[in-house]
Amino acid sequence: MPNENYLAPTKPVDFDSTVDAGIRECLKQGSGKSFITFAGAGSGKTYSLKKALDHLKLECEADFSRRGKQVAVITFTNNAANEITDRVERNSIFAISTIHSFCWQTIAGFNEDIRKWYQSSIPVELDELADKESRARPGAASDARKNRIARLTKKMQWLSEPRSFVYDPNGVNSKQNSLSHADVLKIFAHFLQTQPMMAEVLVNKYPFIFVDESQDTDKGVIGALFSLREAHPLRITVGLFGDTMQRIFGGGEPELGKSLPQNWDEFDKKMNHRSARRIVGLGNKIREEDDGRAQFARDGAEDGFVRYFLLEHGTSDKDDIENKIRAAMAQIADDELWLEPKADETAVLLLEHKMVSRRLGFHDLAEALSRSRRIRDRMFEGGSTELNYFSKIVLPLAEAALQGSRFETLAILRSNKSPLLEESLLEENSDDPLLPARTAATAFQDLVSDTNVTFLQVLNTIGEHNLLPIPTRLKSFVRSSEATEFFDELLDDIELEFLTPALDAAAAEEPQDFETDDIDAWAKALNTPFFRVKGYRDYISERSIYRTHQGVKGNEFERVMVIMDDEEAGGRMFAYEQYFGAKEPSANTRAKIQAGEETGLDRTRRLFYVTSTRAKNSLAHIIYTSHIAKARSSLIERGFAKDEEIFERQQILDQLG
């Protein structure tokens, strides 16, 4: 096929300007119109949302401020909420929050209604669990169901009396009166359609409700907002911003936009302002097999580069070959920054966190902590108090000690309220108040000079010298000494107050008791090398070039390498081997296709689109596969690649000369 079939056509930069004008028409109070805006990769979704908010600020600020009304902006993540808040300069007429926070703010205080909701919904779940258990075989799934049945039965007894309910979007819901994340959404959706008073309050408070990343927003909530708008068409405008092709999280509405209620306008942003023509062209080819939406590149956009590197499953020298591929991309794209990548300009995308942990050298730490499901689920969200203690406090202290920076060492000890800097202790050593702190810091420096020192050795030294407060749940691992016993009473009173400023708020809300599997996980993890935590710190704080496929949505980079390896990932949600034709779809997948149900292939296609469209100029896809010839044929036949864009192992080496 001629080259132009692979390059997206171009349009002027203002090609989509009519979309923003159309949205403004819907924002006239009393227009009776709501809208959905489809905004593909790089099309400026947040820009259009910001333009809509700027328009409402100009038109409504004085009136809304006087009458106590607001524009609600519902986002998918805290980061997105913070970004939009900054863009509107924290103006008080905008109520910007995550979907969970918004729903909780609406239902908070409806305690008796919440109790009745649980009393009606829990028996339904108990019947379903009992039915499944009656047909189940013994095993882990059966044990989990039995535990769930026991907990729900106990909760039904607890609900026999009036109760009050709480919710912390950043915390762990562990008490009987704490609502789960999922239940907050379910209760909101139910109440909005069954509690006229709540609907009335919401309409009066928020004449405009915008939903960002609407494709990933809970479908029950989206349905409730559709119903709210249908019941009050002249009093509320709902605006949805998103892209169904970028729906990669569970819970979203798969049919969103396929059929809209009356008086809803649909807008389609067709420009991609981010990427080179070849990359936009690939995105169009991927969508051709889904919703058929296509984008234009900007006039003057470069052609760009897309390359595929096919490697056998079981490749033993992945790190080496992946580095060679970066070197090959540097030659192909004439871009030396492939060789010295910066985290804000280059991304290497992997399917699972464990794939990242191996490449950044903290696999043994992550594997040990993954023995606890609770720790595993929070670890890669930065939500483990104990892990944050090591990565955000102890590691910087070790780095300062190794650099010989007494000033930085003292600053870290002071900011984290080291017991050695307590006023009473300083007074006891009036001749040299800092002597105990220097002595302890020297012992700590000697210890961390050994690159193989373990977490447990570090923790014991901190405890023996009372260098820092230690999180409650790690104290049981610390070797006892007269000194630590002397400070225990003091630390118990002040510990959380001292640690909280340095740790995530989410982590500070964790339950204070370790469960058995938590103890087992930390007992294993504490015996791994301490400096493994540096790779973890760099990953969580986005200092490294590594990201996950799912976690990169919304980001953009000059150069992107996507690593697809079903075998190493070991997950079940995505199936690149089937998607690229190396394996036949399973019988279950074929049955779902026949029934018109979503399959792993659909999820994989959307994820392939998301990862492919993060790149601005050059994109490298590494595919580890069991059948290179089939994968190659599939890429060419479907128009994803030209033959000369595909490299196998020897061709990679030949490219490097």
Side-chain angles (χ1 to χ4, degrees):
M1 282 183 270
N3 187 58
E4 55 265 25
N5 288 347
Y6 293 87
L7 300 177
T10 63
K11 291 290 183 182
V13 66
D14 61 350
F15 182 77
D16 281 336
S17 60
T18 55
V19 170
D20 295 323
I23 290 174
R24 285 196 298 273
E25 287 297 311
C26 295
L27 299 182
K28 293 179 179 178
Q29 293 192 60
S31 71
K33 287 182 176 292
S34 289
F35 63 91
I36 181 169
T37 300
F38 289 99
S43 63
K45 169 178 63 66
T46 305
Y47 173 83
S48 288
L49 174 57
K50 170 67 164 50
K51 293 282 284 187
L53 297 178
D54 287 344
H55 175 76
L56 289 176
K57 177 183 176 181
L58 184 65
E59 296 291 322
C60 306
E61 182 174 19
D63 180 55
F64 278 21
S65 296
R66 184 175 63 254
R67 298 166 60 194
K69 295 181 180 293
Q70 290 182 298
V71 178
V73 183
I74 301 171
T75 68
F76 195 71
T77 65
N78 284 315
N79 286 341
N82 293 335
E83 179 186 351
I84 295 171
T85 299
D86 289 341
R87 290 199 182 196
V88 298
E89 300 176 340
R90 303 183 181 276
N91 190 293
S92 61
I93 71 162
F94 301 120
I96 302 168
S97 61
T98 64
I99 180 64
H100 291 91
S101 293
F102 178 81
C103 291
W104 169 245
Q105 290 164 11
T106 306
I107 67 174
F110 285 77
N111 291 308
E112 185 59 19
D113 294 301
I114 293 172
R115 184 172 77 97
K116 289 179 179 178
W117 181 85
Y118 273 119
Q119 286 179 318
S120 63
S121 63
I122 288 178
V124 174
E125 185 177 355
L126 282 171
D127 287 344
E128 293 174 352
L129 290 168
D131 178 61
K132 289 181 180 179
E133 187 57 28
S134 68
R135 297 178 280 107
R137 298 177 180 178
S142 174
D143 292 342
R145 272 192 296 271
K146 289 174 181 175
N147 289 334
R148 178 71 175 163
I149 289 170
R151 287 196 299 271
L152 290 177
T153 301
K154 184 178 179 180
K155 185 155 190 170
M156 282 297 293
Q157 296 170 350
W158 179 82
L159 288 165
S160 62
E161 299 177 11
R163 302 290 183 181
S164 61
F165 296 87
V166 298
Y167 173 71
D168 178 4
N170 298 314
V172 175
N173 302 284
S174 59
K175 298 179 181 179
Q176 287 281 30
N177 70 330
S178 296
L179 302 186
S180 71
H181 300 320
D183 284 350
V184 165
L185 302 183
K186 291 177 184 177
I187 293 169
F188 170 85
H190 178 74
F191 284 5
L192 200 58
Q193 297 177 82
T194 60
Q195 301 277 356
M197 181 59 70
M198 178 180 289
E200 185 68 22
V201 169
L202 204 65
V203 170
N204 280 332
K205 180 70 174 176
Y206 304 114
F208 299 94
I209 297 178
F210 295 152
V211 182
D212 189 27
E213 300 289 3
S214 55
Q215 76 282 350
D216 282 322
T217 302
D218 178 79
K219 61 184 178 183
V221 172
I222 291 293
L225 291 176
F226 274 127
S227 298
L228 180 69
R229 188 266 168 196
E230 185 175 357
H232 305 278
L234 299 180
R235 297 175 61 196
I236 188 170
T237 293
V238 177
L240 307 181
F241 295 82
D243 178 19
T244 51
M245 194 63 185
Q246 297 186 67
R247 180 172 60 86
I248 60 174
F249 298 106
E253 174 54 73
E255 301 299 312
L256 186 63
K258 293 185 179 178
S259 59
L260 288 173
Q262 188 176 8
N263 288 327
W264 275 73
D265 283 353
E266 178 181 322
F267 302 106
D268 191 0
K269 301 199 73 173
K270 296 184 178 181
M271 288 295 295
N272 185 316
H273 300 277
R274 171 189 300 154
S275 301
R277 295 180 65 195
R278 177 66 187 93
I279 295 167
V280 179
L282 173 59
N284 290 343
K285 273 296 179 183
I286 298 169
R287 294 194 82 135
E288 196 174 279
E289 299 179 348
D290 192 275
D291 61 9
R293 294 178 185 273
Q295 290 184 305
F296 301 104
R298 296 175 62 160
D299 278 350
E302 296 181 358
D303 286 356
F305 304 89
V306 173
R307 295 294 185 271
Y308 298 83
F309 301 89
L310 306 185
L311 298 164
E312 291 281 0
H313 271 161
T315 296
S316 59
D317 58 343
K318 289 180 179 178
D319 291 345
D320 181 59
I321 196 68
E322 288 166 14
N323 286 335
K324 283 184 169 61
I325 289 172
R326 288 217 300 269
M329 286 301 298
Q331 291 186 11
I332 291 167
D334 191 21
D335 180 1
E336 290 299 311
L337 289 178
W338 269 105
L339 298 174
E340 297 180 8
K342 297 180 180 179
D344 59 342
E345 296 180 354
T346 304
V348 177
L349 311 183
L350 299 122
L351 260 174
E352 297 287 344
H353 294 299
K354 66 180 182 180
M355 296 171 69
V356 177
S357 69
R358 186 189 68 75
R359 286 165 174 83
L360 286 179
F362 64 96
H363 178 68
D364 50 356
L365 171 64
E367 187 175 43
L369 291 176
S370 294
R371 294 160 72 99
S372 163
R373 181 172 181 176
R374 180 166 64 167
I375 296 175
R376 183 188 68 213
D377 290 346
R378 294 180 62 75
M379 174 171 43
F380 291 106
E381 297 174 357
S384 166
T385 299
E386 294 73 32
L387 200 50
N388 285 341
Y389 172 74
F390 284 117
S391 65
K392 296 185 177 183
I393 299 175
V394 182
L395 178 60
L397 184 65
E399 291 173 333
L402 291 173
Q403 292 167 6
S405 175
R406 291 186 178 182
F407 176 82
E408 183 65 19
T409 297
L410 191 61
I412 293 171
L413 293 179
R414 183 177 290 113
S415 64
N416 291 286
K417 305 299 182 183
S418 168
L420 299 178
L421 299 180
E422 282 294 300
E423 185 175 349
S424 59
L425 189 61
L426 295 175
E427 290 175 353
E428 287 180 17
N429 296 273
S430 57
D431 292 341
D432 189 355
L434 294 179
L435 178 61
R438 285 202 309 275
T439 302
T442 298
F444 182 75
Q445 181 181 23
D446 291 342
L447 180 76
V448 297
S449 294
D450 178 2
T451 57
N452 293 317
V453 65
T454 66
F455 282 90
L456 187 57
Q457 290 171 313
V458 169
L459 194 64
N460 276 325
T461 296
I462 291 171
E464 288 169 7
H465 294 276
N466 299 292
L467 197 58
L468 291 167
I470 295 175
T472 301
R473 293 183 297 186
L474 288 177
K475 285 183 179 179
S476 59
F477 296 100
V478 178
R479 184 167 56 240
S480 63
S481 69
E482 292 182 7
T484 54
E485 291 171 4
F486 177 80
F487 280 98
D488 266 351
E489 184 176 347
L490 172 65
L491 294 181
D492 283 340
D493 291 337
I494 64 177
E495 178 186 1
L496 280 180
E497 177 188 348
F498 290 166
L499 287 179
T500 299
L503 303 182
D504 290 343
E509 295 292 332
E510 283 189 296
Q512 289 302 302
D513 295 326
F514 259 176
E515 296 180 357
T516 301
D517 57 351
D518 297 341
I519 295 172
D520 291 343
W522 270 109
K524 183 81 171 175
L526 288 173
N527 283 300
T528 63
F530 166 71
F531 284 103
R532 297 285 199 268
V533 79
K534 184 179 185 300
Y536 171 80
R537 189 268 311 272
D538 290 348
Y539 177 48
I540 288 298
S541 61
E542 296 188 349
R543 297 186 189 184
S544 82
I545 60 175
Y546 293 104
R547 307 281 198 281
T548 59
H549 288 200
Q550 301 90 326
V552 80
K553 188 161 75 73
N555 296 135
E556 58 183 43
F557 306 90
E558 283 294 329
R559 53 201 71 80
V560 171
M561 173 185 286
V562 186
I563 298 176
M564 291 161 278
D565 189 344
D566 290 352
E567 186 177 65
E568 185 180 359
R572 298 181 179 179
M573 292 294 291
F574 306 102
Y576 280 110
E577 278 284 80
Q578 292 183 30
Y579 181 67
F580 291 124
K583 285 185 177 179
E584 291 297 319
S586 66
N588 182 51
T589 297
R590 291 196 299 272
K592 286 185 175 181
I593 292 173
Q594 286 284 340
E597 299 176 8
E598 181 171 274
T599 69
L601 290 175
D602 298 315
R603 292 189 294 270
T604 304
R605 179 188 300 113
R606 294 196 298 270
L607 195 61
F608 184 51
Y609 175 80
V610 167
T611 56
S612 296
T613 53
R614 297 310 94 193
K616 293 182 180 180
N617 188 61
S618 55
L619 170 67
H621 280 306
I622 301 178
I623 304 172
Y624 290 96
T625 177
S626 59
H627 205 301
I628 287 178
K630 286 184 177 180
R632 186 184 192 102
S633 295
S634 176
L635 291 169
I636 294 172
E637 290 170 6
R638 294 157 77 180
F640 293 165
K642 296 176 284 186
D643 185 67
E644 60 268 27
E645 291 178 331
I646 302 175
F647 292 73
E648 297 178 24
R649 187 183 185 95
Q650 188 55 50
Q651 292 172 298
I652 298 169
L653 300 178
D654 292 343
Q655 173 69 35
L656 295 174

